[in-house]
Amino acid sequence: SQTIHQWPATLVQPVGSPLSLECTVEGTSNPNLYWYRQAAGRGLQLLFYSVGIGQISSEVPQNLSASRPQDRQFILSSKKLLLSDSGFYLCAWSVHSKHEQFFGPGTRLTVL
Amino acid sequence: DQQVKQNSPSLSVQEGRISILNCDYTNSMFDYFLWYKKYPAEGPTFLISISSIKDKNEDGRFTVFLNKSAKHLSLHIVPSQPGDSAVYFCAASGRNDMRFGAGTRLTVKP
């Protein structure tokens, strides 16, 4: 069966510090991969999606970036965090031919 | 842009009664719709979905209805149970992306 991992589970970082969140998927090949953010009291905002290694599409302009160095690895990064980057970050995967997305456990990021 | 809207941020229902969660969308290119359930500090879990070629899909206590002309869908839970208490997200899918509503917090009282 397929599983998706995210780490760390929680993170507290000062403003201006770098960020690296990692997501890995097991049990499937060539998945679509997604990064979402859920800000407090708001819905899920799609940040990035990837249909293959090295292929990244960005949904919103921001100081975040994403990379897919391996088929089942998706990384969310920032060079300098802002206070507004605080939120709950979710990684998800899907099969190319299907709509259903399956989410990881999430990372709670607090920027102070 | 809010292409998917859940206008009720919260809903409280008595155990055993029906819960009805509503969702509206604006983009007619969406062709697949999903409901997710989310507990605090966890990722959303897929609940039920419906293709735009159907108007109803049922899975146990959960039924999703789609009204394409009104660009409206709803999730019915009957009978509601305390364990159903969670935030429910509506999602609409097109090519390679999915748009989520802001969520509705359902509380089922014993």
Side-chain angles (χ1 to χ4, degrees):
Chain A
S1 63
Q2 300 86 3
T3 55
I4 179 169
H5 305 278
Q6 281 186 250
W7 62 93
T10 59
L11 189 60
V12 180
Q13 292 284 96
V15 170
S17 64
L19 172 74
S20 181
L21 302 180
E22 191 162 343
C23 170
T24 58
V25 181
E26 295 178 358
T28 187
S29 296
N30 196 28
N32 286 348
L33 295 172
Y34 308 85
W35 277 111
Y36 289 89
R37 176 171 59 205
Q38 183 186 13
R42 301 183 66 179
L44 301 175
Q45 180 187 32
L46 178 64
L47 302 175
F48 301 95
Y49 69 90
S50 171
V51 299
I53 296 175
Q55 301 179 61
I56 309 293
S57 296
S58 175
E59 284 295 303
V60 292
Q62 59 209 320
N63 69 320
L64 298 171
S65 62
S67 61
R68 186 170 177 174
Q70 299 179 43
D71 181 44
R72 289 168 288 177
Q73 184 185 29
F74 206 22
I75 297 173
L76 183 69
S77 305
S78 174
K79 292 182 179 178
K80 289 186 177 182
L81 283 169
L82 306 172
L83 287 174
S84 58
D85 291 324
S86 293
F88 192 53
Y89 288 82
L90 289 154
C91 181
W93 72 275
S94 71
V95 177
H96 279 290
S97 58
K98 302 209 170 192
H99 293 268
E100 289 83 357
Q101 294 182 15
F102 302 94
F103 287 81
T107 295
R108 170 73 59 193
L109 172 66
T110 303
V111 182
L112 301 175
Chain B
D1 66 0
Q2 284 195 302
Q3 297 187 50
V4 180
K5 294 183 181 180
Q6 292 176 257
N7 292 320
S8 298
S10 63
L11 174 68
S12 183
V13 173
Q14 204 67 34
E15 180 179 7
R17 307 296 289 268
I18 185 170
S19 296
I20 300 176
L21 298 100
N22 293 302
C23 178
D24 298 290
Y25 62 96
T26 57
N27 190 339
S28 58
M29 297 301 292
F30 291 138
D31 58 4
Y32 202 84
F33 305 89
L34 308 92
W35 285 94
Y36 284 82
K37 178 179 179 180
K38 185 181 183 300
Y39 294 114
E42 293 183 10
T45 55
F46 169 70
L47 194 58
I48 192 170
S49 62
I50 187 167
S51 166
S52 60
I53 63 173
K54 296 185 176 180
D55 55 18
K56 177 182 176 182
N57 187 27
E58 190 172 354
D59 183 3
R61 297 186 297 115
F62 303 91
T63 303
V64 55
F65 295 92
L66 175 63
N67 182 334
K68 283 182 292 183
S69 61
K71 294 190 177 67
H72 177 85
L73 67 154
S74 61
L75 174 67
H76 293 209
I77 306 173
V78 56
S80 301
Q81 299 173 353
D84 295 330
S85 297
V87 176
Y88 288 79
F89 289 100
C90 164
S93 178
R95 293 179 61 186
N96 288 330
D97 70 345
M98 187 178 297
R99 305 291 171 176
F100 285 83
T104 296
R105 181 176 300 281
L106 173 65
T107 303
V108 180
K109 298 179 179 178

